[in-house]
Amino acid sequence: MAREFQRGHKAKLSDLTPGTDLYVGVQIAAPGLTFDISCFGLDANEQLSDDRYFIFFNQPKSPEESIQLLGAQSGDTESFRVTLDRIPAAVQKLSFTATIDGPGQMSQVGPGYIRIVAGGEEVVRYAFTGSEFTTERAVMLGDFYLKDVWRFAAVGQGFDGGLEALLKNFGGEVAEEEEAPAAPQAAPGFAPPAQATAPSAFAAPPAPQAPQPAPSFGAPPAPAPQQPMHAAPTIAAPLTPQAPPAPYGQPGHQPPQPPPPQPQFGQVPGQVPGQIPGQHPGQPAPPAPTPPYGQHAPAPYGQPAPAPYGQPAPFGQQPPGAPQGVPQGLPAAGAGLHAALQLYKETATGQRWTPQNKQLMRVDLTMGGAGVLARQGSMVMYQGKVDFGYKGAGFVGRVVGNATGQEMQLMRCTGRGQVFLAEEGSYLHPIELQGDAICVSAESVLAFDESLQYEVRRVEGHGIPGGALFTMQFQGTGTVVIKTHGTPVVLPVTPTTFADCNAVVAWSAASQVIVSSQVRLRRNAYPGHSGETVNLQFRGAPGNFIVVQPYEV
């Protein structure tokens, strides 16, 4: 189980793992930003006395390869291999840093981390968010330092300058590129101007010859070349050749004639539809009389009259415009019970979480390996062998939940099968986390992967009882399913974004939340009161968001 470090935490590496060949992974990202992740090998005075131990994209390893830059892998933005036994005695400290390449600031980054992996197992992780920084353009993430033994420290300290300023801070020098001297050009000698030449005649380039593909195994031989026209044998043709059919749209083209239609009920055989009995075939039909407003036009000869407006059609008679002989009210897919239920069949996408509709979620426990924590009583059906167990929060968890209002009564779902979850017809929305974090009210959580880390987070504010509000923060890799009343809306965070705390469902963890109004003991506490109790103001870098539902809890 990996230990979670906070800023400033330190520990002996021997207490974390007996291994000395370590993997160090760094995950940091922000929309539109590029990061340079480096490692500085410092001496006892915390100076870069040897430039060969500045490991970055242009120098991926130290001379004895005790520090190696591995690149992005395993979900990490950048990774290193550190072999502590091979680090020379002059190097007393390894400082891992991240700097922004180009414009931007560290407050824009999303949730990130630096972690240590030994033997394929993560042993320690220090997580950070952009809310911990302001206008800095670099951050010192973590250090390996030698103090009788190798130790690790979670630093999380911002730095105002970029990579060059950080390099100078550690005593390094930035090599400036020297411009190559331009080759001297020889002075041109005397020469008259060139005579204008007539443009050459236009000629299309010869068509390129397509390369002949190599014959595949078993392919038939290429067909023999055709004989020249003068060497082809004479073919005897009939004396009266048959004229080929004219192309479509050209004079003489005869489209295929459809078979004569079957006479409708009450129609004389051979009578053209719409022709009045006794009317000459070439004589135009008289115009139909215009019916009075609100009345149906008279039915054609031999057809039943339509029902008056607002009245159902007589029993056994189809409404106007409906195909004759087809019963009404049947689905387009066909008749029968199977066709009627086809629209509501189970949806299987091969993924762990699959919405069946807006209000029903299916989780496949056979995928992913870890169990699922769901709100008690949210299971409506399951398939396979599934075990349901009570998930207790412990004494501390119950105390925190009761004090903050963020208590969740959960059950653990394990086994091999599929579980269907729903609650009171709420709309369900799966949110997949890839190492990032999101804040969700405990009341809006239906279920989540057990692999996710969750804790109660406080929202600072003034003028409200206790000085703070609370929410749940989920972080890690997995899926959390939130529920809303109706279809929510996702809004970007700007300095002028406000929301009612009773309507907010979730927001990005990197957003800064400030309580902006006074809490009343009840709504409409006095005549003329607006009824809005607590408003939350959201601030953050571009890319942050809030989720609001059309309902107040």
Side-chain angles (χ1 to χ4, degrees), residues 233-239:
T234 304
I235 301 177
L239 297 179

Side-chain angles (χ1 to χ4, degrees), residues 375 405-410 439-446 470-472 474 483 505:
R375 187 177 295 273
Q406 298 297 307
E407 182 180 10
M408 295 185 294
Q409 300 293 332
L410 300 174
C439 294
V440 187
S441 171
E443 180 64 26
S444 301
V445 178
L446 178 74
F470 300 90
T471 185
M472 296 295 298
F474 293 85
K483 57 190 184 75
V505 176

Side-chain angles (χ1 to χ4, degrees), residues 79-92:
S79 60
F80 299 82
R81 180 181 180 181
V82 177
T83 309
L84 297 176
D85 296 340
R86 302 174 61 183
I87 294 178
V91 177
Q92 301 283 305

Side-chain angles (χ1 to χ4, degrees), residues 121-137:
E121 180 180 358
E122 183 175 324
V123 295
V124 66
R125 173 185 292 229
Y126 161 53
F128 57 89
T129 64
S131 60
E132 302 176 21
F133 313 106
T134 54
T135 59
E136 298 94 335
R137 302 190 63 249

